[in-house]
Amino acid sequence: MPFDTLTAEKWIASDISPTPTSSKRKESRQRVLLRAQIHVVRSQSDLLVTDISRSGLRGSTDIDLRVGQPAYISLDDLTHVAGSIRWVQDGRFGMKFSKMLDVLPECAQVDLGHLPDHQERMPRTAARLKAKISLSSWSSSARVRNVSKTGMMIESDLPVSPDQQLLVNLSDGKILNATVKWVEGDRVGIQLTTPVSILHLTYGDLR
């Protein structure tokens, strides 16, 4: 289901807490106190986007989808966009985003149409974009305790194991792709698929 943007606590300091991998670190970490939503990836597949608007997209994929199902789309291999499946037909589908994308000019946000029964919608742009679609098996809230540009340590009661793929939703609603590296009790070390700035991770701005 769609989920709300999560807020970050305004606090940051040097990381002084040991973890199972502290002796192997090659990058500086910052100690933080962030809230996040963790999604365990059940399946992932390539996707061809055929048209897109700020509110949704249409595309085709080999993965099995059903109407109303939550899904996550990555257009840049860095972040994901959450949404729900609106229709499915012969490998093609339509998806509505849970949060608006900034992909079209502000001056052309709504297609007003000319017929009396026309329903307003965001204008769509024809495209042939390669992307990825991911489906989640379950989700849980988590606390992020420290971050680096390639990973983070979280606390969560979500049952995960090493090498499992996750989607991590931070404060601005953008969703990062990650892999579980180690688990110790309710603490989980995860590695981000694509490195990002520590400040971007801390304050939730990946733009």
Side-chain angles (χ1 to χ4, degrees), residues 72-178:
Y72 307 88
I73 302 292
S74 178
L75 300 171
D76 57 8
D77 289 329
L78 174 62
T79 61
H80 286 68
V81 179
S84 59
I85 305 301
R86 302 302 298 273
W87 59 266
V88 179
Q89 183 178 9
D90 300 327
R92 297 179 296 115
F93 71 96
M95 177 177 175
K96 181 178 180 181
F97 300 139
S98 58
K99 180 180 178 180
M100 289 285 188
L101 292 184
D102 187 18
V103 296
L104 292 178
E106 294 289 338
C107 61
Q109 290 188 357
V110 178
D111 177 12
L112 298 176
H114 301 287
L115 299 177
D117 60 349
H118 177 79
Q119 295 184 352
E120 294 183 1
R121 70 170 190 174
M122 301 294 258
R124 292 183 174 267
T125 300
R128 289 190 65 83
L129 301 175
K130 292 182 179 180
K132 288 189 180 296
I133 182 170
S134 299
L135 304 179
S136 173
S137 52
W138 62 83
S139 303
S140 177
S141 60
R143 295 177 298 275
V144 181
R145 291 302 190 180
N146 63 50
V147 298
S148 74
K149 68 179 182 180
T150 60
M152 59 182 67
M153 191 269 280
I154 64 173
E155 293 178 348
S156 174
D157 58 3
L158 193 66
V160 295
S161 56
D163 298 325
Q164 227 169 358
Q165 189 174 2
L166 305 177
L167 299 176
V168 183
N169 183 4
L170 294 175
S171 59
D172 66 348
K174 288 186 174 67
I175 305 168
L176 302 175
N177 201 29

Side-chain angles (χ1 to χ4, degrees), residues 4 9 16 27 44 46 63 76 110 130 152 162 180 187 192:
D4 296 332
E9 302 291 341
I16 58 175
E27 300 168 350
Q44 188 176 76
D46 292 332
I63 201 169
D76 57 8
V110 178
K130 292 182 179 180
M152 59 182 67
V180 176
R187 298 192 300 169
L192 299 175

